[in-house]
Amino acid sequence: MARARRAQGELEGQVLGALREAGGPVTAAWVQERLGGDLAYTTVVTILTRLLAKDVVARERRGRSFLWTPTADVARLAALRMRRLLDGERDRAAVLASFVTDLPPGDERVLRALLEAAGPGRVNTRNAAPSDDGGTED
């Protein structure tokens, strides 16, 4: 039976998640095995190379192969995808307005706390109150 196609970015998130669980630098073969081995080795290397280009992993040569280490978490990767989508739109204000309008109350509170904590500068996620309801209505 054919495996269902993964959602866009899902495999990158799985690879990055595996790297974060590793506890140290690992090979692409280790990542492949960790993800169940149903992926071709070349697919894993391609995903790692894409993550390197996005600056969310680092690599160091060890003999004839590379050891891979995460430099960011899955949240950072998701934020990069969101930013790339936003950058591709002509009317950023309309996209942002639509996004904010459709947020569940819990997510809206988190976003407001982030923006208030940041003031006129950049958002600092360490100052935001975490959502205790997973982004759903109370």
Side-chain angles (χ1 to χ4, degrees):
M1 179 177 228
R3 179 180 164 89
R5 186 169 173 88
R6 289 180 175 89
Q8 184 177 1
E10 181 182 352
L11 187 53
E12 287 182 346
Q14 290 173 349
V15 168
L16 186 57
L19 286 176
R20 292 193 54 82
E21 292 173 5
V26 295
T27 63
W30 184 93
V31 174
Q32 178 189 24
E33 183 179 311
R34 179 71 176 182
L35 295 178
D38 65 332
L39 292 172
Y41 176 81
T42 54
T43 300
V44 174
V45 171
T46 297
I47 296 301
L48 286 165
T49 303
R50 287 180 185 166
L51 292 172
L52 181 66
K54 294 176 181 180
D55 202 27
V56 295
V57 300
R59 71 178 180 191
E60 64 179 87
R61 185 168 286 285
R62 181 73 51 92
R64 292 179 48 190
S65 62
F66 288 105
L67 294 181
W68 301 86
T69 309
T71 59
D73 59 13
V74 176
R76 172 76 175 132
L77 182 59
L80 287 170
R81 283 196 302 267
M82 291 167 61
R83 178 66 186 263
R84 188 176 63 232
L85 287 171
L86 182 59
D87 287 348
E89 296 298 323
R90 288 180 186 227
D91 191 347
R92 295 171 69 94
V95 173
L96 288 169
S98 181
F99 176 75
V100 170
T101 300
D102 292 340
L103 285 176
D107 289 347
E108 182 181 336
R109 284 192 296 275
V110 170
L111 183 57
R112 286 184 188 280
L114 287 167
L115 293 171
E116 288 171 11
R122 300 184 61 91
V123 173
N124 180 350
T125 58
R126 290 185 197 99
N127 294 335
S131 174
D132 58 346
D133 60 6
T136 60
E137 186 95 37
D138 289 333

